[in-house]
Amino acid sequence: MVCTGGRGVRTEEIASGLAGVEERIGEACRAAGRDRGEVTLIAVTKTYPASDVRILSELGVRDVGENRDQEAAAKARQCADLPLTWHFVGQLQTNKVRSVVGYADVIHAVDRGRLVEVISREAVKQGREIGCLVQVALDDDPARGGVGPADVPALAAEIDAAPGIWLGGVMAVAPLGEDPAKAFARLRDVALGVQERHPRATMISAGMSEDLADAVAHGATHVRVGTALLGRRKLFVR
Ligand SMILES: *Cc1c(COP(=O)(O)O)cnc(C)c1O
């Protein structure tokens, strides 16, 4: 029998995934001459149970990400006692905003003015202050969401001006079939453009299990990691 030091098998699995991810982030920071403290790990817990969120919290993770409201709302309720920041990283339909604003601290994929209006209205109504990131499209695939780089400044200004929400910065998903490093370099240019007008909007949410090192090399402040922490998801949810 393997000695787990009193910890359960799942805790050991997650601790080992976390150690591996920490090592990769640390190495990428060293290579880029960045301080480890500049990069926040968001554990993307979609399809995994609230018990895994609890384990992550015990292991010191403070940021979790989800991409479907129904699942996220239930998990956030079950984990309401934990000191966690909740990130909603998926595409968001306006009819889900009321629910999402109830538990999310940061919404990553803001990609249209209508969404800004609805999030702002709900945040004010619920007395919440929600961080919003502009999702930037790094290719022409509409299925991946986001606004083209040319449309980012206008959307960022709308977020900045709206009550109940604050402009955090930008977010992107690397395009398929392109070197992610090149895409993340473009994202950093877009982010710096936003920061010229909004100096406090310093968040760059980029990088997942496969490409987190490229993202850190190109200035990511938040990496969103699921598979490398928790294992391969059985359901296909992107
Ligand atoms: C699922 C998801 C992730 C995590 O992806 P992994 O490859 O499992 O690390 C990151 N960002 C978004 C938007 C996601 O939906």
Side-chain angles (χ1 to χ4, degrees), residues 44 46 67 89 171 173 208-209 224-227 233 238:
V44 178
K46 65 193 184 196
N67 74 336
V89 301
M171 168 281 191
V173 179
M208 321 202 308
S209 292
R224 309 178 306 264
V225 181
T227 308
R233 289 177 292 276
R238 186 66 199 263

Side-chain angles (χ1 to χ4, degrees), residues 97-98 101 117-128:
V97 166
R98 177 182 304 178
V101 162
E117 281 170 35
V118 179
I119 296 171
S120 169
R121 195 193 321 132
E122 267 311 317
V124 169
K125 210 185 273 177
Q126 299 186 31
R128 305 259 301 148

Side-chain angles (χ1 to χ4, degrees), residues 159-181:
I159 294 170
D160 190 51
I165 62 180
W166 50 274
L167 177 65
V170 297
M171 168 281 191
V173 179
L176 296 169
E178 186 197 344
D179 176 3

Side-chain angles (χ1 to χ4, degrees), residues 2-138:
V2 179
C3 176
T4 59
R7 301 204 296 194
V9 171
R10 186 56 175 154
T11 301
E12 288 302 320
E13 272 174 10
I14 295 176
S16 148
L18 182 59
V21 169
E22 273 300 332
E23 193 171 308
R24 288 171 61 204
I25 295 173
E27 179 52 43
C29 284
R30 270 190 298 281
R34 300 182 64 193
D35 194 291
R36 171 64 188 87
E38 293 174 32
V39 180
T40 299
L41 169 63
I42 300 173
V44 178
T45 49
K46 65 193 184 196
T47 78
Y48 287 101
S51 54
D52 281 1
V53 176
R54 202 160 278 283
I55 290 170
L56 284 161
S57 177
E58 281 163 13
L59 293 170
V61 169
R62 288 291 166 265
D63 293 79
V64 293
E66 287 282 336
N67 74 336
R68 284 178 52 249
D69 171 55
Q70 208 180 1
E71 182 188 344
K75 246 179 263 184
R77 250 194 323 273
Q78 289 171 277
C79 298
D81 58 314
L82 303 177
L84 295 171
T85 296
W86 289 82
H87 299 259
F88 193 85
V89 301
Q91 299 300 314
L92 181 53
Q93 294 164 276
T94 49
N95 64 352
K96 306 284 190 205
V97 166
R98 177 182 304 178
S99 169
V100 170
V101 162
Y103 58 84
D105 300 292
V106 183
I107 297 177
H108 285 232
V110 178
D111 60 0
R112 55 201 191 278
R114 174 79 187 129
L115 193 52
V116 174
E117 281 170 35
V118 179
I119 296 171
S120 169
R121 195 193 321 132
E122 267 311 317
V124 169
K125 210 185 273 177
Q126 299 186 31
R128 305 259 301 148
E129 287 286 336
I130 310 286
C132 288
L133 307 187
V134 175
Q135 184 181 359
V136 183
L138 295 174

